[in-house]
Amino acid sequence: DQQVKQNSPSLSVQEGRISILNCDYTNSMFDYFLWYKKYPAEGPTFLISISSIKDKNEDGRFTVFLNKSAKHLSLHIVPSQPGDSAVYFCAAGSADSWGKLQFGAGTQVVVTP
Amino acid sequence: GAVVSQHPSWVICKSGTSVKIECRSLDFQATTMFWYRQFPKQSLMLMATSNEGSKATYEQGVEKDKFLINHASLTLSTLTVTSAHPEDSSFYICSARSGFPSGANVLTFGAGSRLTVL
């Protein structure tokens, strides 16, 4: 049963504009959420995370928003750059089983010049 | 930063043979590593938690006799796919906790190993 879902398999955005990636989850026991970025033939690299006690976390061009009542989080990238073109994975975990993450299927982002 | 190395990155084998994949933490020690599996266009699925010096903990539905995990040192975990069959063809990725204070809840992933069983 897929506990973390990314319903948009792909997203195309113009350079300089905002990229918004969405993620939904079903397990209310998740304590933290992470976004990973993956280039072809490489492993996922950590982007940004958010604890369940917060509703927003910002790091440079990346901001993650968490809506616990809706079991929804989103990643905003602004402004988008061509180097942001990659697959983005949403992941979630709980503190009592740290490191055991549930991943979404990923969203392929393409940033066009 | 923390680096996790996987080897081999690509392996092709005949059905019935066993394949070993290594996961190494290059500049840090990892008491716990995690093995994931990814089918095309699907999410990474956790297979097992590898614990240094003790038995691995497998997720439900993962055959422990099929996927042998050994975590013999603080920098190396191995996954052996025994008697591999075409349905085992997949992308296998390991991860390890870097232990850096600022990344307490961050895992470092290897680049993955693509297994193709003929």
Side-chain angles (χ1 to χ4, degrees), chain A residues 30-97:
Chain A
F30 287 139
D31 296 303
Y32 59 95
F33 305 87
L34 310 96
W35 285 94
Y36 284 85
K37 177 180 179 180
K38 185 180 182 304
Y39 293 115
E42 294 183 14
T45 55
F46 171 75
L47 262 184
I48 192 169
S49 65
I50 188 167
S51 163
S52 61
I53 62 174
K54 293 188 174 182
D55 56 17
K56 178 182 175 181
N57 188 27
E58 190 172 353
D59 184 1
R61 296 187 298 115
F62 302 93
T63 303
V64 56
F65 295 92
L66 175 63
N67 184 333
K68 282 188 66 178
S69 60
K71 294 190 176 67
H72 177 85
L73 64 154
S74 61
L75 174 67
H76 293 208
I77 307 173
V78 56
S80 299
Q81 299 173 354
D84 295 332
S85 297
V87 178
Y88 290 78
F89 289 97
C90 170
S94 53
D96 61 354
S97 54

Side-chain angles (χ1 to χ4, degrees), chain B residues 6-8 11 18-24 33-38 45-50 56 58 62-72 76-82 88 90-94 112-113 115:
Chain B
Q6 270 187 252
H7 178 81
V11 57
S18 295
V19 174
K20 180 185 285 187
I21 301 170
E22 294 184 348
C23 178
R24 292 181 186 273
M33 293 183 176
F34 303 91
W35 286 95
Y36 290 83
R37 179 178 182 177
Q38 183 186 23
M45 299 294 293
L46 179 66
M47 298 175 65
T49 303
S50 173
Y58 291 82
V62 178
E63 300 175 58
K64 60 181 181 181
D65 295 328
K66 174 76 171 176
F67 300 99
L68 299 179
I69 292 173
N70 184 281
H71 196 151
L76 174 64
S77 174
T78 60
L79 168 68
T80 301
V81 183
T82 62
D88 299 323
S90 188
F91 192 60
Y92 294 88
I93 304 181
C94 70
S113 300
L115 169 64

